[in-house]
Amino acid sequence: MRSQIDRQIVLATYNGERFLEQQLESILSQMGDRDELLVHDDGSTDGTRELLRRIAGQESMVRLLVHPPAGGPKENFAFLLGQTSARYVYCADQDDVWMPGKLDRFEQVIQFYESVYGEDTPLLVHSDLSLIDEAGSPISDSLWYYQAIDPRWGDHFNLIMTQNAVTGCAMMVNRALLKIALPIPCQAVMHDWWLAMVACAFGKVVWLPEVTVLYRQHRDNNVGAKRFVINPVKQFQYREQIRTSLLESTAQAGAFAQRYVDSPWVELARIYSELPSLSYPSRRYSLVRHKFFKSTLLKNLAWVIFV
């Protein structure tokens, strides 16, 4: 008989047969009796579901959730997170590789912060990642450096609303955060961004300057790690990308303002959510006044010019 489940890992899959077994091995090798891996497949047409059934038949700590397709990675993770009950929850992508000791390292860190701030404080812990290609060869030692991500963005609500600094597959959260953050609204850009916003507003986002995940980049990545480089020839393309980012992030902020009406950040979230409705000069004034900034000078120039 298994002991009480204190830690759960949620794994969202879709046509991930090529890399899934290696990822499962890297996760299962560091799990124990108080851990559970929750998996939901989003309607794969390759051998993913057969692989999952085989692994689940061999490993009692793996639980496959039978549910209709969620419709995408954000929806799949939102569903999975809603099925959890453990004190600590980790998110995993199907095509990465976890570094040894990741589970215990994150738990050690979050328990320290719970001892400082209290177990009822919403907490999110995340780390840096190394980039690898399809064959597992290194691309970059640091995702944060590669994408010019400043993990301190999670300390400031005006900044985390503007640009996400948390990568879901290198993240864990406590029950206190899930209790206040779930359900994840449909307006959320991604599950990790929403959880980071809520943790920043009501608790703390903790970052570890170490690598705990090998983040695989391949042609089927839904999000992936892309460098932002301005090319004058492609100005229209960047304008459209940044405009889309604005519309998505402001809709997310609007959902926050509607749900957390008693939050001290509700007014700032409302102001940010109204940016698309402002005139060109007023929008730029609001960006500067409230410091709705991106993480680098180059990104901010594109943000101010194109938004």
Side-chain angles (χ1 to χ4, degrees):
M1 181 140 180
R2 297 190 63 195
S3 58
Q4 179 180 354
I5 302 300
D6 292 329
R7 305 187 300 192
Q8 289 173 312
I9 303 102
V10 295
L11 173 62
T13 63
Y14 177 72
N15 286 348
E17 180 184 16
R18 284 193 299 160
F19 308 113
L20 179 57
E21 190 158 13
Q22 184 181 10
Q23 168 69 317
L24 287 170
E25 290 175 357
S26 75
I27 295 173
L28 292 170
S29 65
Q30 51 189 292
M31 291 175 63
D33 289 340
R34 61 193 185 95
D35 302 321
E36 183 176 54
L37 177 63
L38 296 181
V39 187
H40 177 252
D41 184 74
D42 210 28
S44 292
T45 55
D46 63 356
T48 296
R49 286 184 287 184
E50 290 72 18
L51 173 60
L52 290 172
R53 283 193 287 265
R54 174 172 63 81
I55 298 295
Q58 299 169 350
E59 302 285 352
S60 61
M61 63 187 70
V62 178
R63 179 155 63 99
L64 302 183
L65 300 181
V66 179
H67 190 270
K74 177 185 76 175
E75 293 79 9
N76 204 353
F77 275 110
F79 165 71
L80 279 161
L81 289 167
Q83 305 306 304
T84 62
S85 58
R87 180 180 177 184
Y88 303 121
V89 176
Y90 304 70
C91 292
D93 287 351
Q94 63 184 3
D95 41 15
D96 300 328
V97 179
W98 278 19
M99 301 295 286
K102 177 177 184 284
L103 274 173
D104 292 341
R105 173 63 175 142
F106 274 52
E107 182 178 357
Q108 176 189 37
V109 172
I110 205 167
Q111 287 185 346
F112 169 78
Y113 280 90
E114 284 183 336
S115 71
V116 174
Y117 297 105
E119 293 183 8
D120 293 333
T121 300
L123 295 173
L124 182 154
V125 178
H126 70 111
S127 77
D128 200 356
L129 311 87
S130 286
L131 299 177
I132 59 174
D133 64 15
E134 293 195 23
S137 300
I139 298 174
S140 173
D141 291 337
S142 169
L143 174 71
W144 292 350
Y145 177 81
Y146 187 81
Q147 291 196 306
I149 293 172
D150 188 341
R152 294 172 297 181
W153 242 234
D155 298 334
H156 308 281
F157 190 72
N158 59 313
L159 300 179
I160 198 66
M161 272 199 306
T162 309
Q163 180 180 332
N164 189 21
V166 174
T167 307
C169 60
M171 170 190 78
M172 75 168 294
V173 297
N174 65 356
R175 179 54 46 187
L177 176 56
L178 292 176
K179 185 176 180 180
I180 193 172
L182 296 179
I184 294 174
C186 61
Q187 297 93 337
V189 181
M190 281 298 286
H191 63 289
D192 49 13
W193 198 345
W194 176 259
L195 291 172
M197 282 178 53
V198 177
C200 178
F202 298 102
K204 189 170 182 60
V205 177
V206 180
W207 53 277
L208 300 180
E210 57 193 72
V211 169
T212 65
V213 174
L214 302 181
Y215 190 30
R216 195 187 304 271
Q217 303 300 294
H218 55 89
R219 64 179 181 272
D220 298 324
N221 278 117
N222 185 269
V223 179
K226 301 177 179 65
R227 272 181 168 158
F228 182 85
V229 179
I230 289 184
N231 182 340
V233 178
K234 299 182 178 180
Q235 285 191 21
F236 179 77
Q237 175 185 338
Y238 294 133
R239 182 187 296 272
E240 291 303 303
Q241 290 175 353
I242 293 170
R243 182 67 178 174
T244 298
S245 173
L246 175 72
L247 294 175
E248 291 178 344
S249 61
T250 53
Q252 179 174 249
F256 181 96
Q258 289 179 355
R259 180 179 295 185
Y260 304 111
V261 293
D262 296 326
S263 165
W265 301 108
V266 64
E267 183 62 15
L268 193 63
R270 183 192 62 77
I271 292 170
Y272 185 74
S273 72
E274 293 175 352
L275 285 178
S277 64
L278 300 180
S279 66
Y280 189 86
S282 297
R283 193 155 53 241
R284 270 131 208 84
Y285 173 76
S286 187
L287 289 176
V288 175
R289 180 186 177 187
H290 300 289
K291 299 181 180 179
F292 296 135
F293 295 150
K294 298 287 188 176
S295 59
T296 68
L297 177 60
L298 189 63
K299 289 181 179 179
N300 276 311
L301 284 173
W303 181 240
V304 172
I305 293 171
F306 293 144
V307 78

